[in-house]
Amino acid sequence: RTSRLIFTMFGIMKAGAAYIPCDPHYPADRIKLILEDSEAAYIVTDDENLANLKAQAGEGSIKVLEKALNVEELLQCQNTANPAIPQEGSDLAYIIYTSGSTGRPKGVMLHHSGICNELFAHPLNFRNWTVMQEVKCILGLATISFDASVEEIGIPLYNGLTLALASDEIANDPILLAEFMVKNNVGMFQGTPSRLMQLYESDTFRQALAGCHIIELGGEKFSDSQLRELQKTTKAHLFNSFGPTETTVESNSHEVTHD
């Protein structure tokens, strides 16, 4: 969870290809399934995760090595010319793998037109329109393999705002996360209701959350009791968004003001 992640996502799309986010914390079997099922041409990684991949691959490590590109080596390239590769809205932007909770994980193919529609701050996209009026900095908290990360990273960078990407250490510690949010003037928090309520147990985090102008919750049911609890702490716009990843992150978003 560093700037290398951002360079890689945008660099792959800039090169006319599609990226597949794969969390290095995944079990070896899941990583192997994603690599084999997607028929990915390359793996962009770093020294630490490359060593882990080799160890997990065992006898197949040579095959993994042939695909591996070290992000630090890629960043040494001196060519700054714009590749200007023609792309259409129907071209593939990324593939994201489902959790596999209902069986074998499947790769869902998403296109540029869908993600541009999801990120565009049009008045009819009321959530994004509100973000543009009230927020300068958005928190990046979701794991890269969860489609919410596409929104967290995309909304600020697509619309000229600031992304504050929390490291693994910060993301998993409510005190550190609260300090990070205050330091970076974070104006928007996104997450699942259950994750937010876990963090919410910390007084320090609640104080940081009170500084947000927008809180977006999705991925699970957002209960009436959670709504009432949040309304005691914050005057932020509370959005409930949902949708299958096949519809490009979400298909609906609504500002919640009462039960």
Side-chain angles (χ1 to χ4, degrees), residues 1-2 5-6 137-144 148-154 156 162-168 170-172 177 180-181 184 186-191 195:
R1 295 183 64 81
T2 71
L5 177 64
I6 311 298
C137 180
I138 293 175
L139 178 66
L141 194 62
T143 171
I144 186 63
S149 66
V150 177
E151 182 181 270
E152 284 182 347
I153 293 168
T162 299
L163 166 67
L165 184 68
S167 67
D168 282 327
I170 290 171
N172 293 310
L177 182 60
F180 182 76
M181 289 169 66
N184 291 285
V186 165
M188 180 176 180
F189 175 97
Q190 294 165 277
R195 184 169 194 182

Side-chain angles (χ1 to χ4, degrees), residues 178 199-211 229 233:
L199 295 166
Y200 199 78
E201 293 177 8
S202 160
D203 291 339
T204 307
F205 177 79
R206 284 202 299 275
Q207 291 169 14
L209 189 70
E229 191 62 37
T233 304

